[in-house]
Amino acid sequence: FDQVSVTTKRPINNLLICTKSWAAKDALASVTNCLSPGSQVVLLCNGMGIAESLIPLIKRNRMLAIGSTTAGCRIDEQGILHVSNEGSTCMGWFKKKQAQPTWTAIWTHGVSKFSWEDDVLPSLLEKTAINAVINPLTAIHKISNGELLSKTMEELRIRVTSEVQSLLNAAGEHNIASRLPSRVEQICRLTSTNQSSMRVDLERGRKTEIDSIVTWFLNSKTSLTKPPHTPTLSMLRDKIKKAEPKSR
């Protein structure tokens, strides 16, 4: 895949976008003029609703793949990077259901537990649901992922998980909803010493990915006849938005 800058002049045949979710559209727009007619673009960002914003920039004959990873890492006080969870990584075409591209052979050999999926959206939805529980709670309470499993946080974690489950069930995603509590606990254990990206962003005065994670979920209930009651999740979203820098 091509490593490029906004000043690049050479054609881009394969492009990997792994920015913050809110920066993905601008990142792609900055190099769109360099895409070749048959370019393949891979979006590897947190959250949902991002790919839809890129479609206007992906012209005919160009392909958009989306992916998700549960791999985790952290930087210690000495600045050393530690892999805390190799996790799994999956990819698939966003809309056009075509054959698996040949370049995925590189990912299969180089990335732990990599898979190409004909329908990758459920995997992305599950990760977003997990993040909707873990990220805002750890950011607001300034705790590590593992501390969400403490007795002090248990009731709040269960309440937020239940609200995300209600949104999933309302959307007919019953399988993802049923395993959400165990998946949240599993990720908290595997990345127990990690600080969530949302916590880090808030503490460093940066814009978070709250909109592609929690706001996306909350907006999904607006068209429902009987929308689920999500007061805690809504409160967390509002607190994160209020704590974000006003302009960035």
Side-chain angles (χ1 to χ4, degrees), residues 129-194:
I130 294 168
N131 283 343
V133 177
I134 295 175
N135 285 19
L137 280 174
T138 54
I140 290 298
H141 293 274
K142 299 181 180 180
I143 58 176
S144 67
N145 293 356
E147 289 176 279
L148 276 183
L149 301 177
S150 67
K151 284 293 182 182
T152 304
M153 295 298 300
E154 182 177 27
E155 189 276 334
L156 191 54
R157 186 191 76 247
I158 291 173
R159 192 193 318 160
V160 175
T161 301
S162 178
E163 291 183 11
V164 176
Q165 282 181 296
S166 70
L167 291 167
L168 289 166
N169 281 319
E173 300 290 348
H174 306 299
N175 290 334
I176 297 176
S178 64
R179 60 176 177 260
L180 183 62
S182 61
R183 291 289 286 127
V184 167
E185 292 179 19
Q186 179 188 38
I187 296 300
C188 284
R189 285 194 299 270
L190 290 172
T191 61
S192 60
T193 58
N194 283 24

Side-chain angles (χ1 to χ4, degrees), residues 53-72:
S53 70
L54 303 187
I55 289 300
L57 301 174
I58 305 293
K59 297 182 179 180
R60 185 176 298 178
N61 297 327
R62 295 174 181 168
M63 300 292 290
L64 176 62
I66 53 179
S68 175
T69 183
T70 59

